[in-house]
Amino acid sequence: MLNANGLATERLDADLCHDVAFPLKDLRQLFSDAVKESGTDGALVGVWSEVLALMDRKIPSAHDDPTTVALLIEKTCNYLQNLFVEHMSTQVERNLERAQRGGVPGTRGLVDAFLKVGADDPFAEDGTVGGLPVWEVTYHCLRAGDLSAAKDALDLLANFPQAAVLVACLNHLSKEAKSNGGITSILQKTSIKEVFTLLCWGWLLYDCGHISDAVHVAILTNEMGYLRNTADAAAEMLVTDSVQLTKCSFNIARLLVSYTKQFELEDIERALDYWYLLKGLQTPTGGDVFEMAVSRAVYLTGQTEAIIGTIGADGKRTRAWIDEYLEDCSDVITRVARDTELGGDTTQAVKLYVLANAPVKAVELLCTELSDAIRTNRTRMNELRLLAEEFVSSHSDIRSSVLSTLCILLDVCTLIDLCESGLADKALSVSQQLRLIPSEAEQVPVIVGEFHLVPQKVREVIPDLSLQLMRCMVDAIHSAASINARYTKQVKAIVIYAATVNYKFPQHITSKLLQLQASIAV
C-alpha cells in the first residue's frame, strides 16, 4: 500500500520484530526500499537520504556522551562531503568537453575539472594553481573532505602574510585528518543540541502533513538509540526539560499508538508491527505498552482467536498473530485475561487464563466470582457453577490443592440447591460430609477449632449457607407430623456456632437465624 504522505507503508510484518528469537532486521534497508517503492521525490528524498545516511547503526553510548556526538558529526560530515563530490561529478559528466578532466584520478582531478566548468576569474585573489583560483581549489578540496589534495595551493597561500594563520590552521586540520578523524576530532566537543538538527526533520514532516514519513523517521531514530524517550508513556508527545530547556524527550509510544488508530481495526496485523516496537516501555500503572495495545485490540475487534489463539483439539494453543513476535505469549494473554476480568466477562477471562497456561489464576477467579454469587445472585451462581464444573472436569491433571477451594464451593452450591428444594435429609447428609457447619451442639467446639483451616472464599459463604440450612430445617420441622430430633439438633447447633465461631456473621443473617429458632420454640 502506498501512503498518501509519501512513504510506502505496506505491512512490514515480522520485519519490525526484535526479540531473542526474532532478531531486529535491517530497518534502515527496509525503509530505504519503501522510499524507493513509493516513488517519493522532491524534498522527501533529501530528508530520507539524510536520515538513512546518519542512522546506519546504533549509538555506542549515551545521548550526551562525546563519543556519540563525535560519531554523528563524523557521519554528518561524510554525508555532506560525499553529497558534494556527487554534485561535482554530475557537473563534470554533463560538461566533459569543458571540464577536460582526462584520466586524472582522485579528489584534486575532480575539483580541477569542476572548477574549469564553473570558474571564470582571470584576476583571482592571491594567484592560481594549475590556472585555477587558489582559494577556490582549497575550498572545494576542503568541502570534499580531502584537504591534503590541495597541498600545493596551501603552499602557495603560505607565502601571503594575511593568510598565514588560516593556512596554519588548515595544515593542522589536514594532519588531524590522518590521525584523529580531522573535523570530527575538532568538533567532538560540540554541543549535542547543534548536532541533532536531524530530529527536527521528523517534527517538521509531521506538521507539514507527511505523518507517515515522520512516524517512520521517529521509529528509525528510536531503534538506533538516538531518540531520548519520555519516562512516562502517558506524557505529551514532546516534553521539554524544565532545567535544561534545550533538552527534550519524545514520547514514541504516544506517537505510534496515535498513528495506528487510523487502521488498527481494519489491519490489526499491520498495527501489531508498530506496537511491538513499544515492547518494554511501561504504562503509568507499570504495565507493558505492547501488552496493553494487544489487549485493547482484542477488546475492540473481538478477534481473540486470530490475535492470541484458542485451545485446539489437542489441548494446545493454536498459533496466532502474536506468535510472529514472541516465543512465549503467556504474559500478553494473561494481560488480555486480566483486562477481560476487569470488564466483567468472567467466562471469557477464565478461558483466557487457561489459554495463557495460568490455570491457577482461572481457579482463583472462579472462586472469587462463585463465592460472591452464592451470597448475592442465584442465577449467576448456577451459571458459574456450570463453568466451574466444566473447568474441573477438563483439568483433572491440576493438583488437588489448587482445586480444593473451588470443589468445596461447588459442594456448597449443591447443598444450597438441596436446601432450597426442601430435601432436608439429603441436605443434612451433605452438610455432615462438608464439615463446615456442626450438626449438633456437641460438635460445635470441633468445627470451631477447624475453622482456621477453611479457605477464605469458603468462609465468606458460611453465614449464607448457615441461613439456608436453618430455613430448610425449620421448614422441615413445620411440615413434619412429629418432631425430628436431627432437625432440632441442627437448628440449635447453627445458633451456637454463629455465636461462637471466630467470624462475624452479618447482622441481618444473625437476626434471621434467631427469628427462625424462635419460630419453632427450640
Side-chain angles (χ1 to χ4, degrees), residues 58-107:
K58 291 194 173 185
I59 60 174
S61 53
H63 296 85
D64 301 317
D65 190 279
T67 304
T68 300
V69 179
L71 174 64
L72 192 54
I73 292 176
E74 179 182 3
K75 288 191 288 187
T76 302
C77 290
N78 288 339
Y79 171 76
L80 294 175
Q81 290 162 359
N82 292 334
L83 196 65
F84 186 62
V85 169
E86 290 177 8
H87 168 69
M88 289 194 295
S89 298
T90 300
Q91 295 303 314
V92 170
E93 289 295 326
R94 291 175 178 175
N95 300 274
L96 292 175
E97 183 177 351
R98 188 173 180 182
Q100 298 179 356
R101 181 175 184 180
V104 181
T107 303

Side-chain angles (χ1 to χ4, degrees), residues 1-12 30-41 44 209-213 216 259 262-263 267 270 274:
M1 175 193 309
L2 295 185
N3 188 282
N5 292 319
L7 181 66
T9 56
E10 66 272 14
R11 284 194 68 250
L12 297 178
L30 287 171
F31 289 149
S32 177
D33 293 342
V35 171
K36 294 176 183 176
E37 292 173 14
S38 68
T40 300
D41 55 12
L44 284 178
H210 296 288
I211 297 176
S212 178
D213 292 275
H216 290 87
Y259 176 66
Q262 60 184 308
F263 55 81
D267 195 349
R270 179 180 164 206
Y274 292 93

Side-chain angles (χ1 to χ4, degrees), residues 3 6 102 115 127 134 183 269 314 327 368 383:
N3 188 282
L115 290 176
V134 63
I183 296 176
E269 290 181 272
D314 58 355
E327 279 191 313
T368 298
E383 293 174 353

Side-chain angles (χ1 to χ4, degrees), residues 253-512:
R254 180 178 287 275
L255 176 68
L256 295 189
V257 171
S258 299
Y259 176 66
T260 54
K261 281 184 179 179
Q262 60 184 308
F263 55 81
E264 63 180 351
L265 299 182
E266 294 78 23
D267 195 349
I268 302 174
E269 290 181 272
R270 179 180 164 206
L272 284 168
D273 286 336
Y274 292 93
W275 294 337
Y276 186 72
L277 295 170
L278 304 176
K279 183 168 177 57
L281 296 181
Q282 299 295 304
T283 65
T285 57
D288 187 274
V289 176
F290 173 63
E291 294 175 2
M292 175 206 71
V294 172
S295 180
R296 180 172 176 272
V298 171
Y299 172 76
L300 291 176
T301 67
Q303 297 188 48
T304 307
E305 184 174 341
I307 298 173
I308 59 177
T310 188
I311 298 295
D314 58 355
K316 298 180 180 179
R317 187 179 68 85
T318 58
R319 188 171 178 81
W321 289 335
I322 58 170
D323 290 283
E324 295 293 331
Y325 308 88
L326 303 168
E327 279 191 313
D328 183 2
C329 303
S330 57
D331 287 344
V332 176
I333 301 175
T334 298
R335 170 60 187 263
V336 177
R338 186 166 62 250
D339 289 347
T340 303
E341 175 187 342
L342 293 174
D345 191 346
T346 303
T347 301
Q348 181 66 2
V350 168
K351 293 178 180 178
L352 289 173
Y353 279 129
V354 173
L355 189 66
N357 195 27
V360 174
K361 291 185 178 294
V363 171
E364 291 174 350
L365 175 58
L366 281 171
C367 289
T368 298
E369 293 295 318
L370 190 55
S371 178
D372 291 342
I374 287 172
R375 289 173 287 157
T376 60
N377 190 326
R378 287 290 180 270
T379 302
R380 179 64 174 157
M381 182 193 80
N382 291 327
E383 293 174 353
L384 289 169
R385 179 181 176 183
L386 293 174
L387 179 62
E389 288 173 346
E390 179 183 345
F391 178 87
V392 172
S393 63
S394 61
H395 292 82
S396 56
D397 56 329
I398 299 177
R399 64 183 186 276
S400 57
S401 59
V402 173
L403 292 174
S404 60
T405 300
L406 183 58
C407 290
I408 294 173
L409 288 172
L410 287 173
D411 290 339
V412 169
C413 292
T414 300
L415 178 53
I416 289 176
D417 279 348
L418 292 173
C419 290
E420 292 183 340
S421 300
L423 302 174
D425 289 333
K426 289 185 177 181
L428 272 177
S429 177
V430 171
S431 179
Q432 289 170 357
Q433 293 177 41
L434 274 176
R435 291 182 63 83
L436 294 176
I437 301 172
S439 58
E440 54 186 31
E442 290 75 12
Q443 197 182 15
V444 171
V446 178
I447 300 300
V448 169
E450 295 176 350
F451 186 77
H452 69 282
L453 300 176
V454 178
Q456 177 60 35
K457 289 303 174 183
V458 177
R459 294 184 188 185
E460 294 172 2
V461 304
I462 286 179
D464 292 88
L465 179 60
S466 298
L467 180 58
Q468 290 296 328
L469 188 58
M470 174 71 91
R471 281 175 175 162
C472 181
M473 295 300 105
V474 170
D475 290 344
I477 291 172
H478 285 157
S479 61
S482 59
I483 297 177
N484 187 316
R486 294 177 63 210
Y487 300 162
T488 304
K489 288 181 179 180
Q490 180 65 81
V491 170
K492 289 181 178 179
I494 290 175
V495 173
I496 297 173
Y497 177 71
T500 308
V501 70
N502 186 26
Y503 190 83
K504 185 175 178 60
F505 278 43
Q507 184 61 44
H508 72 280
I509 290 181
T510 301
S511 299
K512 190 63 178 177

